[in-house]
Amino acid sequence: MVVEVTRNGDGEIVERKTGRMSKYPKVANFVNGRAQIQAQFHVTSNSRHYSSHCPDHGLILPFPLSFSQVKGPGVGLLGISKGGDLCLSMASFLKGITAAVIINGSVANVGGALHYKGETLPPVGVNPKRVKVTSEGFADILDVLNSPLEGPDQKSFIPVERAESAFLFLVGQDDHNWKSEFYASEASKRLQAHGKERPQIICYPGAGHYIEPPYFPMCLASMHTLVGRPVIWGGEPRAHAMAQVDAWKQLQAFFHKHLGGKELG
């Protein structure tokens, strides 16, 4: 089972990738679950049914690992943008997560406090003074978030070292939402420092923030609900389109490897 956790900066909740995966004959052993965002992150501890909530971002994720359509040894997570850091948090706190694909996600908790049992991850700090404005009038928020490696913002760093999952990070090197390549690198360092397997990181030069399935048009700029104005997402059209084609192949191969299912033809 692959669960797609999404929350776009424009506020839209979508499940483009798992929806397509579940319809492909050669990906028939994958079923998709939907994650929606709501109040606070909580996981029941007495059963194999998870019910998760995340503050300020709307996550409600109910799914039983014993669901009759679920094949393989565990659950896969697929997250892009804010959904990426939610997937990292879920893989870090929950049991039964076997594989996680993070597309341009943050290694720090972003946007609101995240609660799990008696623990709280505060959001990484922001500095609105670091917002830049392009010649077209769009906001460039690349440098707005504080570093999760410094000062009190270290508490926002997601404890990925607790995860039992395999990870694949797909990174657009022209991402202007935040520093996705830096976050993937820091997650890798943290995992390896605690004796965990080095995650797979694939970087795409010229690709922006929203790496979608193949042939989806590149989103260069749109309204960001938290910023309150249109922002640029980065990306060069040709390079971004090529990245989407390859990323689609890579994430499917990764899930087949770690969750089972039929091989791609």
Side-chain angles (χ1 to χ4, degrees):
M1 180 179 191
V2 178
V3 178
E4 185 173 4
V5 183
T6 60
R7 180 70 175 194
N8 293 348
D10 58 12
E12 180 185 14
I13 298 175
V14 293
E15 50 183 1
R16 294 173 179 142
K17 299 173 187 64
T18 50
R20 292 186 65 175
M21 288 170 67
S22 64
K23 295 175 184 177
Y24 276 70
K26 292 190 177 182
V27 201
N29 282 359
F30 289 158
V31 293
N32 66 297
R34 178 171 181 155
Q36 297 179 334
I37 297 189
Q38 200 166 171
Q40 83 185 136
F41 190 87
H42 169 73
V43 181
T44 59
S45 58
N46 297 324
S47 73
R48 293 173 63 81
H49 183 280
Y50 297 151
S51 177
S52 309
H53 309 269
C54 187
D56 301 334
H57 307 292
L59 174 67
I60 300 179
L61 173 60
F63 59 90
L65 290 181
S66 59
F67 186 60
S68 61
Q69 289 182 266
V70 176
K71 309 294 183 181
V75 171
L77 301 176
L78 171 59
I80 183 172
S81 190
K82 173 60 190 176
D85 79 70
L86 289 174
C87 283
L88 283 176
S89 293
M90 292 168 66
S92 299
F93 289 116
L94 305 183
K95 301 295 183 182
I97 306 300
T98 305
V101 176
I102 312 300
I103 305 176
N104 287 330
S106 168
V107 76
N109 181 45
V110 179
L114 185 146
H115 305 279
Y116 175 72
K117 295 183 178 178
E119 299 183 70
T120 297
L121 283 182
V124 66
V126 300
N127 186 345
K129 294 182 179 179
R130 293 198 288 262
V131 175
K132 301 175 183 177
V133 180
T134 69
S135 58
E136 295 85 3
F138 296 117
D140 185 342
I141 61 174
L142 177 61
D143 298 315
V144 167
L145 295 182
N146 294 342
S147 171
L149 305 182
E150 301 174 359
D153 291 297
Q154 295 178 74
K155 294 181 180 180
S156 69
F157 200 111
I158 298 166
V160 293
E161 66 274 9
R162 301 186 189 180
E164 300 175 354
S165 169
F167 288 105
L168 168 61
F169 290 87
L170 300 174
V171 175
Q173 291 184 304
D174 192 39
D175 184 356
H176 275 257
N177 184 64
W178 50 39
K179 300 176 181 179
S180 296
E181 186 173 8
F182 167 74
Y183 295 145
S185 176
E186 292 304 318
S188 178
K189 292 178 184 177
R190 175 70 70 92
L191 287 165
Q192 292 180 79
H194 287 80
K196 297 301 180 71
E197 182 179 351
R198 181 179 181 180
Q200 184 179 2
I201 301 176
I202 301 176
C203 296
Y204 296 104
H209 186 61
Y210 285 125
I211 298 177
E212 300 288 7
Y215 316 118
F216 271 71
M218 185 184 80
C219 181
L220 179 61
S222 67
M223 177 64 71
H224 194 301
T225 53
L226 295 180
V227 179
R229 61 184 296 183
V231 305
I232 59 168
W233 303 113
E236 185 278 318
R238 180 178 177 81
H240 190 89
M242 294 176 65
Q244 291 189 158
V245 172
D246 187 72
W248 179 244
K249 296 177 182 177
Q250 296 287 351
L251 69 87
Q252 289 188 73
F254 178 81
F255 283 133
H256 279 290
K257 177 181 178 180
H258 294 284
L259 299 179
K262 299 178 183 179
E263 293 296 326
L264 292 172

